[in-house]
Short mmCIF file of all heavy atoms in Angstrom, two decimals:
data_model
loop_
_atom_site.label_atom_id
_atom_site.label_comp_id
_atom_site.label_asym_id
_atom_site.label_seq_id
_atom_site.Cartn_x
_atom_site.Cartn_y
_atom_site.Cartn_z
N GLU A 171 -44.38 -23.71 29.19
CA GLU A 171 -45.17 -22.51 29.22
C GLU A 171 -44.32 -21.19 29.05
O GLU A 171 -43.39 -21.08 29.85
CB GLU A 171 -46.07 -22.40 30.50
CG GLU A 171 -46.96 -21.11 30.53
CD GLU A 171 -47.81 -21.15 31.76
OE1 GLU A 171 -47.73 -22.12 32.55
OE2 GLU A 171 -48.48 -20.06 31.96
N ILE A 172 -44.66 -20.50 28.07
CA ILE A 172 -43.80 -19.19 27.74
C ILE A 172 -44.83 -18.06 27.94
O ILE A 172 -45.94 -18.02 27.47
CB ILE A 172 -43.37 -19.24 26.34
CG1 ILE A 172 -42.38 -20.42 26.19
CG2 ILE A 172 -42.66 -17.88 26.01
CD1 ILE A 172 -41.98 -20.63 24.71
N GLY A 173 -44.40 -17.03 28.75
CA GLY A 173 -45.28 -15.92 29.08
C GLY A 173 -45.38 -14.96 27.89
O GLY A 173 -45.36 -15.33 26.73
N ASP A 174 -45.65 -13.66 28.20
CA ASP A 174 -45.82 -12.63 27.24
C ASP A 174 -44.46 -11.83 26.99
O ASP A 174 -43.74 -11.78 27.91
CB ASP A 174 -46.84 -11.65 27.64
CG ASP A 174 -48.22 -12.31 27.87
OD1 ASP A 174 -48.42 -13.42 27.21
OD2 ASP A 174 -49.03 -11.89 28.71
N ASP A 175 -44.32 -11.18 25.86
CA ASP A 175 -43.29 -10.25 25.51
C ASP A 175 -41.85 -10.96 25.66
O ASP A 175 -40.95 -10.26 26.20
CB ASP A 175 -43.41 -9.03 26.38
CG ASP A 175 -44.62 -8.28 26.18
OD1 ASP A 175 -45.00 -8.01 25.06
OD2 ASP A 175 -45.30 -8.13 27.19
N CYS A 176 -41.70 -12.22 25.42
CA CYS A 176 -40.41 -12.91 25.42
C CYS A 176 -39.76 -12.95 24.13
O CYS A 176 -40.40 -12.78 23.08
CB CYS A 176 -40.64 -14.36 25.91
SG CYS A 176 -41.33 -14.44 27.67
N ARG A 177 -38.44 -13.14 24.19
CA ARG A 177 -37.59 -13.20 22.95
C ARG A 177 -36.59 -14.32 23.25
O ARG A 177 -35.66 -14.10 23.97
CB ARG A 177 -36.83 -11.88 22.70
CG ARG A 177 -36.02 -11.88 21.34
CD ARG A 177 -35.41 -10.51 21.11
NE ARG A 177 -34.84 -10.43 19.78
CZ ARG A 177 -33.62 -10.78 19.50
NH1 ARG A 177 -32.81 -11.26 20.46
NH2 ARG A 177 -33.12 -10.55 18.36
N LEU A 178 -36.80 -15.44 22.54
CA LEU A 178 -36.06 -16.68 22.80
C LEU A 178 -35.50 -17.33 21.55
O LEU A 178 -36.09 -17.10 20.50
CB LEU A 178 -36.92 -17.73 23.47
CG LEU A 178 -37.68 -17.30 24.81
CD1 LEU A 178 -38.46 -18.45 25.15
CD2 LEU A 178 -36.66 -16.93 25.72
N HIS A 179 -34.36 -17.85 21.61
CA HIS A 179 -33.67 -18.51 20.53
C HIS A 179 -33.64 -20.01 20.77
O HIS A 179 -33.31 -20.45 21.93
CB HIS A 179 -32.19 -18.00 20.37
CG HIS A 179 -32.10 -16.59 19.96
ND1 HIS A 179 -31.81 -16.22 18.64
CD2 HIS A 179 -32.21 -15.47 20.68
CE1 HIS A 179 -31.76 -14.89 18.59
NE2 HIS A 179 -31.98 -14.43 19.77
N GLY A 180 -33.92 -20.81 19.72
CA GLY A 180 -33.85 -22.27 19.84
C GLY A 180 -35.23 -22.95 19.58
O GLY A 180 -36.29 -22.40 19.81
N ASN A 181 -35.09 -24.11 19.08
CA ASN A 181 -36.32 -24.91 18.77
C ASN A 181 -36.80 -25.49 20.18
O ASN A 181 -35.97 -26.05 20.97
CB ASN A 181 -35.99 -26.11 17.92
CG ASN A 181 -35.41 -25.70 16.53
OD1 ASN A 181 -35.99 -24.78 15.91
ND2 ASN A 181 -34.24 -26.15 16.20
N ILE A 182 -38.14 -25.43 20.42
CA ILE A 182 -38.73 -25.82 21.73
C ILE A 182 -39.41 -27.24 21.49
O ILE A 182 -40.23 -27.36 20.74
CB ILE A 182 -39.68 -24.79 22.20
CG1 ILE A 182 -38.94 -23.45 22.39
CG2 ILE A 182 -40.37 -25.22 23.50
CD1 ILE A 182 -39.84 -22.36 22.79
N ARG A 183 -38.95 -28.22 22.37
CA ARG A 183 -39.46 -29.48 22.35
C ARG A 183 -39.98 -29.83 23.76
O ARG A 183 -39.24 -29.75 24.68
CB ARG A 183 -38.31 -30.53 22.03
CG ARG A 183 -37.62 -30.19 20.73
CD ARG A 183 -38.47 -30.44 19.43
NE ARG A 183 -37.74 -30.21 18.27
CZ ARG A 183 -37.86 -29.17 17.47
NH1 ARG A 183 -38.73 -28.15 17.91
NH2 ARG A 183 -37.19 -29.03 16.42
N ALA A 184 -41.29 -30.13 23.90
CA ALA A 184 -41.88 -30.43 25.18
C ALA A 184 -43.11 -31.32 25.04
O ALA A 184 -43.56 -31.59 23.87
CB ALA A 184 -42.34 -29.05 25.81
N ARG A 185 -43.65 -31.70 26.15
CA ARG A 185 -44.87 -32.52 26.09
C ARG A 185 -46.14 -31.81 25.58
O ARG A 185 -46.76 -32.27 24.65
CB ARG A 185 -45.22 -33.05 27.48
CG ARG A 185 -46.46 -34.08 27.52
CD ARG A 185 -46.78 -34.43 29.00
NE ARG A 185 -45.55 -34.94 29.64
CZ ARG A 185 -45.46 -35.07 30.98
NH1 ARG A 185 -46.60 -34.57 31.77
NH2 ARG A 185 -44.41 -35.52 31.53
N GLU A 186 -46.29 -30.54 26.06
CA GLU A 186 -47.23 -29.62 25.53
C GLU A 186 -46.55 -28.21 25.54
O GLU A 186 -45.69 -28.03 26.36
CB GLU A 186 -48.55 -29.64 26.29
CG GLU A 186 -49.28 -30.95 26.40
CD GLU A 186 -50.40 -30.86 27.36
OE1 GLU A 186 -50.62 -29.88 28.09
OE2 GLU A 186 -51.18 -31.88 27.48
N ILE A 187 -47.16 -27.33 24.73
CA ILE A 187 -46.56 -25.98 24.55
C ILE A 187 -47.61 -25.07 24.61
O ILE A 187 -48.53 -25.04 23.80
CB ILE A 187 -45.70 -25.80 23.37
CG1 ILE A 187 -44.52 -26.83 23.26
CG2 ILE A 187 -45.12 -24.35 23.31
CD1 ILE A 187 -43.72 -26.78 22.02
N GLU A 188 -47.50 -24.00 25.57
CA GLU A 188 -48.53 -22.88 25.73
C GLU A 188 -47.56 -21.62 25.59
O GLU A 188 -46.76 -21.33 26.42
CB GLU A 188 -49.14 -22.92 27.14
CG GLU A 188 -50.08 -21.79 27.28
CD GLU A 188 -51.41 -21.85 26.53
OE1 GLU A 188 -51.77 -23.04 26.18
OE2 GLU A 188 -52.08 -20.79 26.32
N VAL A 189 -47.98 -20.84 24.54
CA VAL A 189 -47.13 -19.59 24.25
C VAL A 189 -48.13 -18.40 24.48
O VAL A 189 -49.21 -18.31 23.93
CB VAL A 189 -46.54 -19.63 22.84
CG1 VAL A 189 -45.71 -18.28 22.67
CG2 VAL A 189 -45.73 -20.82 22.67
N GLY A 190 -47.60 -17.43 25.19
CA GLY A 190 -48.39 -16.19 25.46
C GLY A 190 -48.40 -15.33 24.19
O GLY A 190 -48.12 -15.66 23.07
N GLU A 191 -48.66 -14.00 24.48
CA GLU A 191 -48.85 -13.05 23.40
C GLU A 191 -47.64 -12.26 23.20
O GLU A 191 -46.83 -11.96 24.14
CB GLU A 191 -50.08 -12.11 23.60
CG GLU A 191 -49.96 -11.28 24.83
CD GLU A 191 -51.28 -10.52 25.06
OE1 GLU A 191 -52.40 -11.10 25.07
OE2 GLU A 191 -51.08 -9.29 25.11
N ASN A 192 -47.42 -11.64 22.03
CA ASN A 192 -46.36 -10.71 21.67
C ASN A 192 -44.94 -11.21 21.95
O ASN A 192 -44.15 -10.53 22.40
CB ASN A 192 -46.64 -9.38 22.34
CG ASN A 192 -45.93 -8.25 21.78
OD1 ASN A 192 -45.72 -8.17 20.61
ND2 ASN A 192 -45.35 -7.33 22.53
N ASN A 193 -44.81 -12.49 21.54
CA ASN A 193 -43.48 -13.08 21.79
C ASN A 193 -42.72 -13.23 20.38
O ASN A 193 -43.39 -13.13 19.25
CB ASN A 193 -43.57 -14.53 22.32
CG ASN A 193 -44.13 -14.59 23.71
OD1 ASN A 193 -43.46 -14.10 24.63
ND2 ASN A 193 -45.36 -15.10 23.82
N ASN A 194 -41.38 -13.36 20.40
CA ASN A 194 -40.59 -13.49 19.18
C ASN A 194 -39.70 -14.67 19.38
O ASN A 194 -38.82 -14.69 20.29
CB ASN A 194 -39.79 -12.25 18.86
CG ASN A 194 -39.38 -12.13 17.47
OD1 ASN A 194 -39.64 -13.02 16.62
ND2 ASN A 194 -38.66 -11.07 17.12
#
Side-chain angles (χ1 to χ4, degrees):
E171 182 177 348
I172 298 171
D174 304 331
D175 302 306
C176 296
R177 186 178 187 275
L178 305 177
H179 293 261
N181 302 305
I182 297 175
R183 308 287 184 259
R185 185 185 304 165
E186 298 175 355
I187 301 175
E188 179 76 23
V189 181
E191 62 182 56
N192 198 34
N193 295 292
N194 202 357

